Amino acid sequence: MTIDQRGDRFRGRAKVRNGAGEEVRITEYADSAEEVITAVKAKAQLVWGGLFAEVTRASTVEQLAQLWLATVADLKRQLAVAENDLARASVADTRGASRTVREEQ
């Protein structure tokens, strides 16, 4: 992330990758450096889907691997919840459909 001052406002810029790996450029303006950092991170979370990790030249492969593994675990949890919700909705829909068929006969 780069931050520079433009008059009495601050500009923050960053490049992040979305879930598909495409680069997205973010630019935000605020009244202070702290506010612009918060704004850029908030937008980055939206682009990435809730995960924001700052990667610098000092970042280690181990840190990135741990972050990736945590992300995969979270995605698996989200998928399991979605599959359960879908299964429940299908069962409820099937039960409703069978009642409708019986009522029509």
Side-chain angles (χ1 to χ4, degrees):
M1 180 183 314
T2 60
I3 300 170
D4 55 10
Q5 191 165 359
R6 304 242 169 199
D8 49 340
R9 305 259 303 160
F10 288 82
R11 179 180 68 176
R13 295 187 300 172
K15 291 187 265 184
V16 297
R17 296 207 177 264
N18 63 19
E22 301 162 332
E23 186 177 277
V24 177
R25 293 176 187 258
I26 297 172
T27 302
E28 287 292 320
Y29 294 88
D31 293 329
S32 71
E34 293 80 16
E35 289 175 10
V36 84
I37 289 169
T38 300
V40 170
K41 284 185 176 184
K43 192 173 268 186
Q45 287 177 349
L46 291 174
V47 169
W48 184 245
L51 173 70
F52 180 75
E54 190 171 346
V55 178
T56 67
R57 290 182 179 170
S59 299
T60 66
V61 172
E62 181 181 4
Q63 290 169 329
L64 298 174
Q66 288 173 352
L67 179 63
W68 180 77
L69 290 171
T71 302
V72 169
D74 186 53
L75 290 173
K76 284 183 178 180
R77 183 193 58 75
Q78 290 177 27
L79 180 59
V81 168
E83 287 173 340
N84 287 338
D85 290 347
L86 182 59
R88 277 191 231 118
S90 295
V91 168
D93 187 47
T94 303
R95 288 179 183 161
S98 61
R99 283 186 198 134
T100 304
V101 170
R102 286 186 201 133
E103 290 170 4
E104 290 176 1
Q105 293 177 354

